[in-house]
Amino acid sequence: AQSVAQPEDQVNVAEGNPLTVKCTYSVSGNPYLFWYVQYPNRGLQFLLKYITGDNLVKGSYGFEAEFNKSQTSFHLKKPSALVSDSALYFCAVRDERTGGFKTIFGAGTRLFVKA
Amino acid sequence: NAGVTQTPKFRILKIGQSMTLQCTQDMNHNYMYWYRQDPGMGLKLIYYSVGAGITDKGEVPNGYNVSRSTTEDFPLRLELAAPSQTSVYFCASSGSTGTGTEAFFGQGTRLTVV
């Protein structure tokens, strides 16, 4: 069965410091992995994805994520956090064998960046 | 290009009432989805559609119904509303599923059942 875990409910970081939001997953086949961000009273917005190829993927707003197959992880990172990065972040996984309607979302991690 | 549009943004229902949440997309996407978002629980798939005239149940379909008469529209119907249906509902669409295409989300409908 597919699953995705975001072990931290909240991550606090000072502006200018690097940030990491953690995600681990479990699928039977090869994973498609996504990160979405949700700002207050808005829908989810796509940040980046890993389908195949280079393990380090770059996305919107300076975010990047590293796919680690041995650790089944897909952590979201940014070298220098901004106050405007404060939002709710969701990791999602899709098993390539079961198609898009089986996308599983994590519970979300709230990122708080302090000025 | 409006993307995915949901209406209404907010609604309060009494127990036993019914309502329809509207969702429309202008990206000519074949795949559409309804999710509910409960605090600390992430998103749960209610129903999905792979094209006009084709719908199927997701993880939590009980108490809901959908229809897909056109590519653009995917309304979600709540019959006999219950407090357990208090949630934020998101409609989403994607151009395909087998190639890792990301989903586009509407702004959500916050529903309270009292």
Side-chain angles (χ1 to χ4, degrees):
Chain A
Q2 296 179 123
S3 66
V4 59
Q6 295 180 243
E8 301 154 316
D9 291 335
Q10 181 165 314
V11 170
N12 299 308
V13 63
E15 187 174 35
N17 284 358
L19 69 88
T20 298
V21 182
K22 296 180 180 178
C23 172
T24 59
Y25 67 90
S26 175
V27 296
S28 300
N30 290 322
Y32 293 161
L33 294 155
F34 303 82
W35 275 103
Y36 290 85
V37 60
Q38 184 181 29
Y39 297 102
N41 301 314
R42 302 293 298 274
L44 279 69
Q45 298 176 32
F46 168 75
L47 270 181
L48 51 79
K49 65 183 177 184
Y50 172 83
I51 304 301
T52 187
D54 194 347
N55 289 343
L56 184 65
V57 294
K58 295 186 184 298
S60 306
Y61 311 121
F63 283 94
E64 57 188 29
E66 186 168 11
F67 171 64
N68 187 318
K69 188 172 183 178
S70 63
Q71 297 186 3
T72 61
S73 67
F74 190 57
H75 301 331
L76 181 70
K77 300 181 180 183
K78 187 174 182 180
S80 179
L82 299 172
V83 172
S84 58
D85 293 330
S86 299
L88 187 57
Y89 291 81
F90 289 95
C91 181
V93 65
R94 180 187 300 165
D95 188 329
E96 66 166 355
R97 298 185 306 176
T98 58
F101 53 86
K102 293 294 188 182
T103 301
I104 302 298
F105 285 82
T109 298
R110 187 164 300 280
L111 174 66
F112 180 71
V113 181
K114 184 177 180 180
Chain B
N1 189 338
V4 179
T5 303
Q6 290 182 238
T7 57
K9 288 187 170 55
F10 304 94
R11 182 73 184 269
I12 298 175
L13 277 183
K14 294 184 178 180
I15 294 171
Q17 287 186 321
S18 301
M19 76 165 294
T20 299
L21 282 66
Q22 302 291 344
C23 175
T24 187
Q25 52 92 7
D26 61 0
M27 297 173 283
N28 201 33
H29 285 168
N30 286 327
Y31 300 90
M32 296 188 74
Y33 317 87
W34 275 105
Y35 291 92
R36 58 178 288 171
Q37 183 183 29
D38 300 315
M41 299 294 290
L43 278 73
K44 299 293 184 184
L45 183 64
I46 304 171
Y47 270 95
Y48 66 95
S49 170
V50 300
I54 306 170
T55 63
D56 207 346
K57 297 177 180 178
E59 302 170 84
V60 289
N62 292 345
Y64 308 94
N65 279 299
V66 294
S67 60
R68 185 93 181 270
S69 57
T70 66
T71 298
E72 295 77 20
D73 300 309
F74 189 42
L76 177 72
R77 178 82 176 164
L78 278 73
E79 304 281 2
L80 299 175
S84 61
Q85 294 177 305
T86 294
S87 188
V88 180
Y89 292 84
F90 288 102
C91 179
S93 71
S94 67
S96 66
T97 59
T99 59
T101 303
E102 63 272 19
F104 294 80
F105 285 80
Q107 289 193 321
T109 297
R110 185 175 296 276
L111 175 68
T112 302
V113 181
V114 296

PDB file of all heavy atoms in Angstrom, chain A residues 36-65:
ATOM      1  N   TYR A  36       3.807  20.281  -2.735  1.00  0.00           N
ATOM      2  CA  TYR A  36       2.856  21.370  -2.945  1.00  0.00           C
ATOM      3  C   TYR A  36       2.938  22.311  -1.755  1.00  0.00           C
ATOM      4  O   TYR A  36       3.242  21.905  -0.637  1.00  0.00           O
ATOM      5  CB  TYR A  36       1.425  20.837  -3.047  1.00  0.00           C
ATOM      6  CG  TYR A  36       1.116  20.051  -4.296  1.00  0.00           C
ATOM      7  CD1 TYR A  36       1.399  18.685  -4.366  1.00  0.00           C
ATOM      8  CD2 TYR A  36       0.529  20.658  -5.388  1.00  0.00           C
ATOM      9  CE1 TYR A  36       1.110  17.957  -5.510  1.00  0.00           C
ATOM     10  CE2 TYR A  36       0.228  19.937  -6.544  1.00  0.00           C
ATOM     11  CZ  TYR A  36       0.525  18.589  -6.588  1.00  0.00           C
ATOM     12  OH  TYR A  36       0.222  17.875  -7.729  1.00  0.00           O
ATOM     13  N   VAL A  37       2.599  23.577  -1.989  1.00  0.00           N
ATOM     14  CA  VAL A  37       2.540  24.557  -0.917  1.00  0.00           C
ATOM     15  C   VAL A  37       1.131  25.149  -0.854  1.00  0.00           C
ATOM     16  O   VAL A  37       0.480  25.318  -1.886  1.00  0.00           O
ATOM     17  CB  VAL A  37       3.591  25.679  -1.119  1.00  0.00           C
ATOM     18  CG1 VAL A  37       3.378  26.418  -2.425  1.00  0.00           C
ATOM     19  CG2 VAL A  37       3.577  26.656   0.055  1.00  0.00           C
ATOM     20  N   GLN A  38       0.683  25.410   0.359  1.00  0.00           N
ATOM     21  CA  GLN A  38      -0.637  26.017   0.547  1.00  0.00           C
ATOM     22  C   GLN A  38      -0.512  27.259   1.415  1.00  0.00           C
ATOM     23  O   GLN A  38      -0.124  27.182   2.576  1.00  0.00           O
ATOM     24  CB  GLN A  38      -1.602  25.017   1.195  1.00  0.00           C
ATOM     25  CG  GLN A  38      -3.019  25.546   1.325  1.00  0.00           C
ATOM     26  CD  GLN A  38      -3.950  24.559   1.997  1.00  0.00           C
ATOM     27  OE1 GLN A  38      -3.540  23.745   2.828  1.00  0.00           O
ATOM     28  NE2 GLN A  38      -5.213  24.606   1.646  1.00  0.00           N
ATOM     29  N   TYR A  39      -0.863  28.389   0.833  1.00  0.00           N
ATOM     30  CA  TYR A  39      -0.910  29.636   1.589  1.00  0.00           C
ATOM     31  C   TYR A  39      -2.305  29.784   2.198  1.00  0.00           C
ATOM     32  O   TYR A  39      -3.267  29.160   1.719  1.00  0.00           O
ATOM     33  CB  TYR A  39      -0.553  30.808   0.692  1.00  0.00           C
ATOM     34  CG  TYR A  39       0.858  30.715   0.157  1.00  0.00           C
ATOM     35  CD1 TYR A  39       1.108  30.299  -1.148  1.00  0.00           C
ATOM     36  CD2 TYR A  39       1.950  31.010   0.965  1.00  0.00           C
ATOM     37  CE1 TYR A  39       2.399  30.178  -1.632  1.00  0.00           C
ATOM     38  CE2 TYR A  39       3.242  30.898   0.493  1.00  0.00           C
ATOM     39  CZ  TYR A  39       3.451  30.478  -0.807  1.00  0.00           C
ATOM     40  OH  TYR A  39       4.731  30.355  -1.283  1.00  0.00           O
ATOM     41  N   PRO A  40      -2.457  30.599   3.232  1.00  0.00           N
ATOM     42  CA  PRO A  40      -3.749  30.723   3.928  1.00  0.00           C
ATOM     43  C   PRO A  40      -4.905  31.012   2.979  1.00  0.00           C
ATOM     44  O   PRO A  40      -4.803  31.882   2.108  1.00  0.00           O
ATOM     45  CB  PRO A  40      -3.507  31.878   4.900  1.00  0.00           C
ATOM     46  CG  PRO A  40      -2.039  31.819   5.173  1.00  0.00           C
ATOM     47  CD  PRO A  40      -1.406  31.395   3.878  1.00  0.00           C
ATOM     48  N   ASN A  41      -5.972  30.252   3.149  1.00  0.00           N
ATOM     49  CA  ASN A  41      -7.207  30.427   2.378  1.00  0.00           C
ATOM     50  C   ASN A  41      -6.991  30.263   0.872  1.00  0.00           C
ATOM     51  O   ASN A  41      -7.732  30.860   0.072  1.00  0.00           O
ATOM     52  CB  ASN A  41      -7.826  31.804   2.664  1.00  0.00           C
ATOM     53  CG  ASN A  41      -8.150  31.976   4.132  1.00  0.00           C
ATOM     54  OD1 ASN A  41      -8.729  31.087   4.749  1.00  0.00           O
ATOM     55  ND2 ASN A  41      -7.755  33.091   4.704  1.00  0.00           N
ATOM     56  N   ARG A  42      -6.016  29.471   0.504  1.00  0.00           N
ATOM     57  CA  ARG A  42      -5.763  29.202  -0.919  1.00  0.00           C
ATOM     58  C   ARG A  42      -5.706  27.697  -1.162  1.00  0.00           C
ATOM     59  O   ARG A  42      -5.554  26.892  -0.240  1.00  0.00           O
ATOM     60  CB  ARG A  42      -4.438  29.840  -1.352  1.00  0.00           C
ATOM     61  CG  ARG A  42      -4.345  31.327  -1.152  1.00  0.00           C
ATOM     62  CD  ARG A  42      -5.301  32.069  -2.053  1.00  0.00           C
ATOM     63  NE  ARG A  42      -5.021  31.846  -3.459  1.00  0.00           N
ATOM     64  CZ  ARG A  42      -4.148  32.552  -4.160  1.00  0.00           C
ATOM     65  NH1 ARG A  42      -3.473  33.517  -3.598  1.00  0.00           N
ATOM     66  NH2 ARG A  42      -3.972  32.295  -5.440  1.00  0.00           N
ATOM     67  N   GLY A  43      -5.802  27.335  -2.420  1.00  0.00           N
ATOM     68  CA  GLY A  43      -5.622  25.939  -2.783  1.00  0.00           C
ATOM     69  C   GLY A  43      -4.148  25.585  -2.816  1.00  0.00           C
ATOM     70  O   GLY A  43      -3.277  26.434  -2.639  1.00  0.00           O
ATOM     71  N   LEU A  44      -3.864  24.307  -3.024  1.00  0.00           N
ATOM     72  CA  LEU A  44      -2.484  23.858  -3.100  1.00  0.00           C
ATOM     73  C   LEU A  44      -1.867  24.299  -4.425  1.00  0.00           C
ATOM     74  O   LEU A  44      -2.522  24.283  -5.468  1.00  0.00           O
ATOM     75  CB  LEU A  44      -2.406  22.327  -2.996  1.00  0.00           C
ATOM     76  CG  LEU A  44      -2.468  21.724  -1.594  1.00  0.00           C
ATOM     77  CD1 LEU A  44      -3.841  21.892  -0.978  1.00  0.00           C
ATOM     78  CD2 LEU A  44      -2.067  20.253  -1.638  1.00  0.00           C
ATOM     79  N   GLN A  45      -0.595  24.668  -4.347  1.00  0.00           N
ATOM     80  CA  GLN A  45       0.149  25.059  -5.542  1.00  0.00           C
ATOM     81  C   GLN A  45       1.343  24.124  -5.710  1.00  0.00           C
ATOM     82  O   GLN A  45       2.041  23.829  -4.747  1.00  0.00           O
ATOM     83  CB  GLN A  45       0.665  26.488  -5.426  1.00  0.00           C
ATOM     84  CG  GLN A  45      -0.413  27.541  -5.296  1.00  0.00           C
ATOM     85  CD  GLN A  45       0.186  28.919  -5.096  1.00  0.00           C
ATOM     86  OE1 GLN A  45       1.268  29.213  -5.598  1.00  0.00           O
ATOM     87  NE2 GLN A  45      -0.516  29.769  -4.373  1.00  0.00           N
ATOM     88  N   PHE A  46       1.561  23.679  -6.915  1.00  0.00           N
ATOM     89  CA  PHE A  46       2.657  22.773  -7.223  1.00  0.00           C
ATOM     90  C   PHE A  46       3.991  23.489  -7.069  1.00  0.00           C
ATOM     91  O   PHE A  46       4.166  24.632  -7.513  1.00  0.00           O
ATOM     92  CB  PHE A  46       2.490  22.283  -8.662  1.00  0.00           C
ATOM     93  CG  PHE A  46       3.674  21.565  -9.219  1.00  0.00           C
ATOM     94  CD1 PHE A  46       3.967  20.274  -8.822  1.00  0.00           C
ATOM     95  CD2 PHE A  46       4.475  22.179 -10.165  1.00  0.00           C
ATOM     96  CE1 PHE A  46       5.052  19.609  -9.350  1.00  0.00           C
ATOM     97  CE2 PHE A  46       5.567  21.519 -10.706  1.00  0.00           C
ATOM     98  CZ  PHE A  46       5.850  20.229 -10.291  1.00  0.00           C
ATOM     99  N   LEU A  47       4.959  22.812  -6.409  1.00  0.00           N
ATOM    100  CA  LEU A  47       6.305  23.352  -6.243  1.00  0.00           C
ATOM    101  C   LEU A  47       7.322  22.638  -7.138  1.00  0.00           C
ATOM    102  O   LEU A  47       8.089  23.274  -7.856  1.00  0.00           O
ATOM    103  CB  LEU A  47       6.769  23.196  -4.794  1.00  0.00           C
ATOM    104  CG  LEU A  47       6.483  24.320  -3.816  1.00  0.00           C
ATOM    105  CD1 LEU A  47       7.047  23.943  -2.446  1.00  0.00           C
ATOM    106  CD2 LEU A  47       7.033  25.651  -4.290  1.00  0.00           C
ATOM    107  N   LEU A  48       7.346  21.313  -7.029  1.00  0.00           N
ATOM    108  CA  LEU A  48       8.310  20.539  -7.801  1.00  0.00           C
ATOM    109  C   LEU A  48       7.920  19.072  -7.770  1.00  0.00           C
ATOM    110  O   LEU A  48       7.052  18.665  -6.986  1.00  0.00           O
ATOM    111  CB  LEU A  48       9.738  20.730  -7.270  1.00  0.00           C
ATOM    112  CG  LEU A  48       9.974  20.533  -5.772  1.00  0.00           C
ATOM    113  CD1 LEU A  48      10.071  19.068  -5.391  1.00  0.00           C
ATOM    114  CD2 LEU A  48      11.267  21.255  -5.348  1.00  0.00           C
ATOM    115  N   LYS A  49       8.579  18.297  -8.625  1.00  0.00           N
ATOM    116  CA  LYS A  49       8.291  16.871  -8.692  1.00  0.00           C
ATOM    117  C   LYS A  49       9.522  16.088  -9.091  1.00  0.00           C
ATOM    118  O   LYS A  49      10.433  16.621  -9.750  1.00  0.00           O
ATOM    119  CB  LYS A  49       7.154  16.587  -9.673  1.00  0.00           C
ATOM    120  CG  LYS A  49       7.490  16.935 -11.133  1.00  0.00           C
ATOM    121  CD  LYS A  49       6.288  16.682 -12.031  1.00  0.00           C
ATOM    122  CE  LYS A  49       6.597  17.099 -13.469  1.00  0.00           C
ATOM    123  NZ  LYS A  49       5.397  16.951 -14.350  1.00  0.00           N
ATOM    124  N   TYR A  50       9.534  14.829  -8.691  1.00  0.00           N
ATOM    125  CA  TYR A  50      10.529  13.868  -9.156  1.00  0.00           C
ATOM    126  C   TYR A  50       9.803  12.756  -9.880  1.00  0.00           C
ATOM    127  O   TYR A  50       8.898  12.117  -9.324  1.00  0.00           O
ATOM    128  CB  TYR A  50      11.332  13.285  -7.986  1.00  0.00           C
ATOM    129  CG  TYR A  50      12.225  12.160  -8.438  1.00  0.00           C
ATOM    130  CD1 TYR A  50      13.467  12.418  -9.001  1.00  0.00           C
ATOM    131  CD2 TYR A  50      11.803  10.835  -8.358  1.00  0.00           C
ATOM    132  CE1 TYR A  50      14.267  11.384  -9.458  1.00  0.00           C
ATOM    133  CE2 TYR A  50      12.595   9.798  -8.805  1.00  0.00           C
ATOM    134  CZ  TYR A  50      13.818  10.081  -9.370  1.00  0.00           C
ATOM    135  OH  TYR A  50      14.607   9.059  -9.832  1.00  0.00           O
ATOM    136  N   ILE A  51      10.226  12.532 -11.125  1.00  0.00           N
ATOM    137  CA  ILE A  51       9.667  11.429 -11.900  1.00  0.00           C
ATOM    138  C   ILE A  51      10.762  10.404 -12.180  1.00  0.00           C
ATOM    139  O   ILE A  51      10.623   9.214 -11.920  1.00  0.00           O
ATOM    140  CB  ILE A  51       9.049  11.934 -13.220  1.00  0.00           C
ATOM    141  CG1 ILE A  51       7.989  13.008 -12.928  1.00  0.00           C
ATOM    142  CG2 ILE A  51       8.458  10.776 -14.010  1.00  0.00           C
ATOM    143  CD1 ILE A  51       6.865  12.523 -12.053  1.00  0.00           C
ATOM    144  N   THR A  52      11.871  10.881 -12.722  1.00  0.00           N
ATOM    145  CA  THR A  52      13.011  10.030 -13.012  1.00  0.00           C
ATOM    146  C   THR A  52      14.210  10.928 -13.254  1.00  0.00           C
ATOM    147  O   THR A  52      14.068  12.142 -13.352  1.00  0.00           O
ATOM    148  CB  THR A  52      12.740   9.147 -14.249  1.00  0.00           C
ATOM    149  OG1 THR A  52      13.805   8.212 -14.402  1.00  0.00           O
ATOM    150  CG2 THR A  52      12.639   9.992 -15.504  1.00  0.00           C
ATOM    151  N   GLY A  53      15.409  10.341 -13.312  1.00  0.00           N
ATOM    152  CA  GLY A  53      16.581  11.138 -13.646  1.00  0.00           C
ATOM    153  C   GLY A  53      17.335  11.633 -12.432  1.00  0.00           C
ATOM    154  O   GLY A  53      17.444  10.940 -11.409  1.00  0.00           O
ATOM    155  N   ASP A  54      17.851  12.854 -12.517  1.00  0.00           N
ATOM    156  CA  ASP A  54      18.677  13.441 -11.474  1.00  0.00           C
ATOM    157  C   ASP A  54      17.941  13.428 -10.141  1.00  0.00           C
ATOM    158  O   ASP A  54      16.771  13.834 -10.062  1.00  0.00           O
ATOM    159  CB  ASP A  54      19.039  14.870 -11.858  1.00  0.00           C
ATOM    160  CG  ASP A  54      20.162  15.433 -11.003  1.00  0.00           C
ATOM    161  OD1 ASP A  54      20.494  14.829  -9.961  1.00  0.00           O
ATOM    162  OD2 ASP A  54      20.715  16.484 -11.378  1.00  0.00           O
ATOM    163  N   ASN A  55      18.619  12.989  -9.094  1.00  0.00           N
ATOM    164  CA  ASN A  55      17.979  12.888  -7.775  1.00  0.00           C
ATOM    165  C   ASN A  55      17.687  14.247  -7.160  1.00  0.00           C
ATOM    166  O   ASN A  55      16.847  14.351  -6.273  1.00  0.00           O
ATOM    167  CB  ASN A  55      18.859  12.081  -6.826  1.00  0.00           C
ATOM    168  CG  ASN A  55      18.892  10.611  -7.183  1.00  0.00           C
ATOM    169  OD1 ASN A  55      18.040  10.118  -7.928  1.00  0.00           O
ATOM    170  ND2 ASN A  55      19.866   9.897  -6.655  1.00  0.00           N
ATOM    171  N   LEU A  56      18.369  15.292  -7.596  1.00  0.00           N
ATOM    172  CA  LEU A  56      18.129  16.637  -7.078  1.00  0.00           C
ATOM    173  C   LEU A  56      17.257  17.385  -8.086  1.00  0.00           C
ATOM    174  O   LEU A  56      17.664  17.611  -9.218  1.00  0.00           O
ATOM    175  CB  LEU A  56      19.444  17.365  -6.853  1.00  0.00           C
ATOM    176  CG  LEU A  56      19.330  18.759  -6.224  1.00  0.00           C
ATOM    177  CD1 LEU A  56      18.779  18.654  -4.801  1.00  0.00           C
ATOM    178  CD2 LEU A  56      20.682  19.462  -6.224  1.00  0.00           C
ATOM    179  N   VAL A  57      16.080  17.748  -7.650  1.00  0.00           N
ATOM    180  CA  VAL A  57      15.172  18.469  -8.539  1.00  0.00           C
ATOM    181  C   VAL A  57      14.973  19.875  -8.018  1.00  0.00           C
ATOM    182  O   VAL A  57      14.899  20.103  -6.810  1.00  0.00           O
ATOM    183  CB  VAL A  57      13.814  17.750  -8.671  1.00  0.00           C
ATOM    184  CG1 VAL A  57      13.998  16.431  -9.375  1.00  0.00           C
ATOM    185  CG2 VAL A  57      13.163  17.541  -7.330  1.00  0.00           C
ATOM    186  N   LYS A  58      14.888  20.806  -8.927  1.00  0.00           N
ATOM    187  CA  LYS A  58      14.698  22.209  -8.566  1.00  0.00           C
ATOM    188  C   LYS A  58      13.298  22.648  -8.970  1.00  0.00           C
ATOM    189  O   LYS A  58      12.772  22.208  -9.995  1.00  0.00           O
ATOM    190  CB  LYS A  58      15.749  23.071  -9.249  1.00  0.00           C
ATOM    191  CG  LYS A  58      17.167  22.769  -8.765  1.00  0.00           C
ATOM    192  CD  LYS A  58      18.172  23.737  -9.346  1.00  0.00           C
ATOM    193  CE  LYS A  58      19.593  23.374  -8.926  1.00  0.00           C
ATOM    194  NZ  LYS A  58      19.772  23.451  -7.451  1.00  0.00           N
ATOM    195  N   GLY A  59      12.728  23.513  -8.140  1.00  0.00           N
ATOM    196  CA  GLY A  59      11.364  23.936  -8.412  1.00  0.00           C
ATOM    197  C   GLY A  59      11.182  25.426  -8.269  1.00  0.00           C
ATOM    198  O   GLY A  59      12.123  26.201  -8.378  1.00  0.00           O
ATOM    199  N   SER A  60       9.950  25.803  -7.987  1.00  0.00           N
ATOM    200  CA  SER A  60       9.594  27.219  -7.903  1.00  0.00           C
ATOM    201  C   SER A  60      10.142  27.848  -6.633  1.00  0.00           C
ATOM    202  O   SER A  60      10.389  27.169  -5.634  1.00  0.00           O
ATOM    203  CB  SER A  60       8.071  27.365  -7.921  1.00  0.00           C
ATOM    204  OG  SER A  60       7.500  26.718  -9.028  1.00  0.00           O
ATOM    205  N   TYR A  61      10.320  29.161  -6.671  1.00  0.00           N
ATOM    206  CA  TYR A  61      10.663  30.002  -5.520  1.00  0.00           C
ATOM    207  C   TYR A  61      11.971  29.590  -4.851  1.00  0.00           C
ATOM    208  O   TYR A  61      12.150  29.824  -3.660  1.00  0.00           O
ATOM    209  CB  TYR A  61       9.526  29.970  -4.490  1.00  0.00           C
ATOM    210  CG  TYR A  61       8.157  30.212  -5.077  1.00  0.00           C
ATOM    211  CD1 TYR A  61       7.154  29.256  -4.951  1.00  0.00           C
ATOM    212  CD2 TYR A  61       7.866  31.368  -5.785  1.00  0.00           C
ATOM    213  CE1 TYR A  61       5.903  29.458  -5.496  1.00  0.00           C
ATOM    214  CE2 TYR A  61       6.616  31.575  -6.345  1.00  0.00           C
ATOM    215  CZ  TYR A  61       5.641  30.617  -6.195  1.00  0.00           C
ATOM    216  OH  TYR A  61       4.406  30.815  -6.755  1.00  0.00           O
ATOM    217  N   GLY A  62      12.897  28.967  -5.583  1.00  0.00           N
ATOM    218  CA  GLY A  62      14.191  28.608  -5.032  1.00  0.00           C
ATOM    219  C   GLY A  62      14.220  27.308  -4.242  1.00  0.00           C
ATOM    220  O   GLY A  62      15.238  26.956  -3.651  1.00  0.00           O
ATOM    221  N   PHE A  63      13.104  26.585  -4.227  1.00  0.00           N
ATOM    222  CA  PHE A  63      13.055  25.303  -3.525  1.00  0.00           C
ATOM    223  C   PHE A  63      13.669  24.189  -4.372  1.00  0.00           C
ATOM    224  O   PHE A  63      13.648  24.222  -5.600  1.00  0.00           O
ATOM    225  CB  PHE A  63      11.612  24.934  -3.179  1.00  0.00           C
ATOM    226  CG  PHE A  63      11.063  25.693  -2.015  1.00  0.00           C
ATOM    227  CD1 PHE A  63      10.343  26.863  -2.207  1.00  0.00           C
ATOM    228  CD2 PHE A  63      11.261  25.239  -0.721  1.00  0.00           C
ATOM    229  CE1 PHE A  63       9.837  27.571  -1.143  1.00  0.00           C
ATOM    230  CE2 PHE A  63      10.751  25.942   0.371  1.00  0.00           C
ATOM    231  CZ  PHE A  63      10.041  27.113   0.149  1.00  0.00           C
ATOM    232  N   GLU A  64      14.192  23.204  -3.679  1.00  0.00           N
ATOM    233  CA  GLU A  64      14.701  22.011  -4.316  1.00  0.00           C
ATOM    234  C   GLU A  64      14.406  20.821  -3.410  1.00  0.00           C
ATOM    235  O   GLU A  64      14.081  20.988  -2.226  1.00  0.00           O
ATOM    236  CB  GLU A  64      16.213  22.122  -4.575  1.00  0.00           C
ATOM    237  CG  GLU A  64      17.042  22.381  -3.347  1.00  0.00           C
ATOM    238  CD  GLU A  64      18.491  22.684  -3.684  1.00  0.00           C
ATOM    239  OE1 GLU A  64      18.758  23.220  -4.792  1.00  0.00           O
ATOM    240  OE2 GLU A  64      19.361  22.401  -2.845  1.00  0.00           O
ATOM    241  N   ALA A  65      14.495  19.631  -3.976  1.00  0.00           N
ATOM    242  CA  ALA A  65      14.247  18.433  -3.191  1.00  0.00           C
ATOM    243  C   ALA A  65      15.163  17.329  -3.679  1.00  0.00           C
ATOM    244  O   ALA A  65      15.490  17.254  -4.874  1.00  0.00           O
ATOM    245  CB  ALA A  65      12.789  18.001  -3.289  1.00  0.00           C
TER     246      ALA A  65
END
